């Protein structure tokens, strides 16, 4: 059974940093591209970042470029999102999502989400 | 303002057929596959349609997807109360080098 479990969410002050983790199981993690997608309270879905299976190709949404860093450790079946210079508008539930295509938006499995609240 | 445009709301009575539209451009829907997600209240999104019109196993055939040029549609036939949810379309955007989502459509079953 495929499982994606996010952790690391919490309350952080504006300008602060936070690192999210996503532990994957039930599939060959190193063979699949992964993504982070977020959802602000009461709002729609927003794609945040993509990383290829090897980690060699990475993309970011303009809204987080230069502040967020996606990475993965295939030996630990884990995906990460380092978030720096956090702003109030980064407050959201952050989902990790397994990509079943190639630069597609084909997310066949999602984690339960990790809530990040940026507030003083 | 979302790159893909969806109506904010849709509604229907049990048994009816409803459609939800998703409008994009040549850089996203016009040149890439469309995906649809269903999000029940308080839960993570669930893949409903992939590659324009394919259903993952377990998704009822009451759900169908179509695409024409730079627009796509999700149709739900035989509407049921459990279909009440938010629905999102998504596609890769070649110009943005990223995935774009529609703003979401809240479906109400009257």
């Amino acid at each position: 059974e495929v499982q994606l479990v996010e952790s690391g969410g919490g309350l952080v002050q504006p300008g602060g940093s936070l690192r999210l983790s996503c532990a994957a199981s039930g599939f060959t993690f190193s063979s699949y591209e992964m993504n982070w997608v977020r959802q602000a309270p009461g709002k729609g879905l927003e794609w945040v970042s993509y990383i290829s299976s090897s980690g060699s190709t990475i993309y970011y949404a303009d809204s987080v470029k230069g502040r967020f860093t996606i990475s993965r450790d295939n030996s630990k079946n884990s995906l990460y999102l380092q978030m720096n210079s956090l702003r109030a508008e980064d407050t959201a539930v952050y989902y990790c999502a397994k990509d079943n295509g190639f630069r597609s938006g084909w997310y066949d499995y999602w984690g339960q989400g990790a809530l990040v609240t940026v507030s003083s | 303002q979302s790159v893909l445009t969806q109506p904010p709301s849709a509604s229907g009575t049990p048994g009816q057929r409803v459609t939800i539209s998703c409008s994009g451009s040549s850089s996203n829907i016009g040149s890439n596959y469309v995906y649809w997600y269903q999000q029940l209240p308080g839960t993570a999104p669930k893949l409903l349609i992939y590659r324009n019109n394919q259903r993952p196993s377990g998704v009822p055939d009451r759900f169908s997807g179509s695409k024409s040029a730079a627009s796509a549609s999700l149709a739900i036939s035989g509407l049921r109360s459990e279909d009440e949810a938010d629905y999102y379309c998504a596609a890769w955007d070649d110009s943005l080098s990223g995935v774009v989502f529609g703003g979401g459509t809240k479906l109400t079953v009257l």
Side-chain angles (χ1 to χ4, degrees):
Chain A
E1 178 195 4
V2 172
Q3 281 200 315
L4 297 171
V5 180
E6 299 96 337
S7 61
L11 175 63
V12 61
Q13 291 188 336
S17 298
L18 211 56
R19 188 198 197 203
L20 300 181
S21 299
C22 173
S25 61
F27 65 103
T28 305
F29 181 73
S30 59
S31 297
Y32 289 91
E33 303 160 5
M34 297 294 294
N35 294 262
W36 288 99
V37 177
R38 68 183 181 183
Q39 186 170 35
K43 302 297 184 182
L45 301 173
E46 179 189 15
W47 170 79
V48 172
S49 185
Y50 156 101
I51 187 168
S52 63
S53 57
S54 67
S56 61
T57 301
I58 286 172
Y59 299 110
Y60 297 100
D62 286 344
S63 58
V64 306
K65 202 172 293 183
R67 300 187 299 123
F68 289 13
T69 302
I70 191 172
S71 62
R72 64 190 297 162
D73 186 336
N74 286 342
S75 68
K76 295 182 178 180
N77 290 343
S78 293
L79 175 71
Y80 306 101
L81 185 68
Q82 177 66 44
M83 303 183 292
N84 298 332
S85 303
L86 282 162
R87 307 165 180 167
E89 54 265 35
D90 294 319
T91 294
V93 173
Y94 285 74
Y95 296 102
C96 65
K98 172 182 170 287
D99 201 324
N100 201 39
F102 171 65
R103 303 191 313 170
S104 61
W106 186 355
Y107 305 146
D108 55 351
Y109 290 95
W110 299 64
Q112 85 287 353
L115 177 61
V116 172
T117 303
V118 184
S119 175
S120 54
Chain B
Q1 194 85 2
S2 301
V3 174
L4 304 182
T5 301
Q6 296 180 236
S9 64
S11 63
T13 56
Q16 268 191 331
R17 181 178 187 271
V18 297
T19 61
I20 297 172
S21 62
C22 176
S23 177
S25 68
S26 59
S27 65
N28 42 66
I29 293 178
S31 53
N32 294 293
Y33 289 116
V34 177
Y35 302 84
W36 288 92
Y37 295 90
Q38 177 192 59
Q39 188 176 33
L40 299 172
T43 68
K46 169 192 168 186
L47 179 66
L48 207 57
I49 296 289
Y50 66 95
R51 290 190 170 180
N52 302 334
N53 55 19
Q54 303 298 302
R55 281 186 311 276
S57 65
V59 173
D61 59 6
R62 303 186 295 105
F63 294 89
S64 62
S66 64
K67 173 185 146 176
S68 177
S71 292
S73 291
L74 173 71
I76 309 172
S77 60
L79 202 59
R80 304 176 67 160
S81 58
E82 57 259 41
D83 298 333
E84 194 160 279
D86 293 325
Y87 293 84
Y88 296 90
C89 57
W92 181 266
D93 191 296
D94 294 328
S95 296
L96 298 175
S97 291
V99 170
V100 290
F101 283 95
T105 298
K106 183 176 183 62
L107 175 64
T108 301
V109 181
L110 302 169

